[in-house]
Amino acid sequence: MENLIQECVQGNRKAQRLLFEKYAARMMAICLRYIPERGLAEDLLQEGFIKVFDKLHTLKGENVEPWMKRIFINEAINTYHRKYKVNIQN
C-alpha cells in the first residue's frame, strides 16, 4: 500500500485510478449518508478524491482509509451546510 500511495503522490495516474477504484464504493457510501441526492453525492465523491490526491503527501504513518474517511466526512458536512444553509451558532 505504501508503494501505491507514493506513486499517487508522484502523480502516477494509474496508481491514482487504483486507489480510487479500491476506495470509491466505501467513500460513496459516506457521501450518501450525508447527502441523499445521488448526483450531489457523486459530485462530493469527485471533490473528495481531488482533495485526497492533493493532500496525500501529508499522510504520515496513518492508515489511508481512516484518513480518507475524515476528509470525506468533513467535505460532506461542509456540502450539507452549503446546500441547506445550516448555520451553527454558539
Side-chain angles (χ1 to χ4, degrees):
M1 179 57 83
E2 275 186 45
N3 191 32
L4 180 62
I5 300 299
Q6 193 57 37
E7 290 290 321
C8 289
V9 168
Q10 294 172 357
N12 182 322
R13 297 286 184 200
K14 260 185 158 172
Q16 290 174 344
R17 181 177 262 322
L18 287 172
L19 189 71
F20 175 84
E21 289 172 354
K22 181 174 177 73
Y23 292 105
R26 286 180 244 172
M27 298 306 121
M28 184 62 172
I30 290 170
C31 295
L32 286 169
R33 261 185 246 137
Y34 288 86
I35 308 294
E37 298 172 45
R38 183 126 189 120
L40 191 54
E42 288 171 351
D43 291 344
L44 177 59
L45 181 71
Q46 183 176 350
E47 291 171 21
F49 269 103
I50 289 169
K51 185 166 266 189
V52 164
F53 293 129
D54 186 47
K55 302 289 183 187
L56 203 51
H57 69 281
T58 67
L59 183 67
K60 291 183 170 88
E62 294 180 63
N63 261 338
V64 71
E65 187 172 357
W67 179 81
M68 286 175 63
K69 282 181 180 179
R70 282 195 310 262
I71 288 173
F72 278 89
I73 289 168
N74 289 337
E75 286 295 305
I77 290 169
N78 289 337
T79 298
Y80 180 86
H81 286 256
R82 279 192 308 270
K83 169 84 173 143
Y84 300 104
K85 296 186 182 357
V86 175
N87 292 317
I88 299 175
Q89 298 178 359
N90 295 337

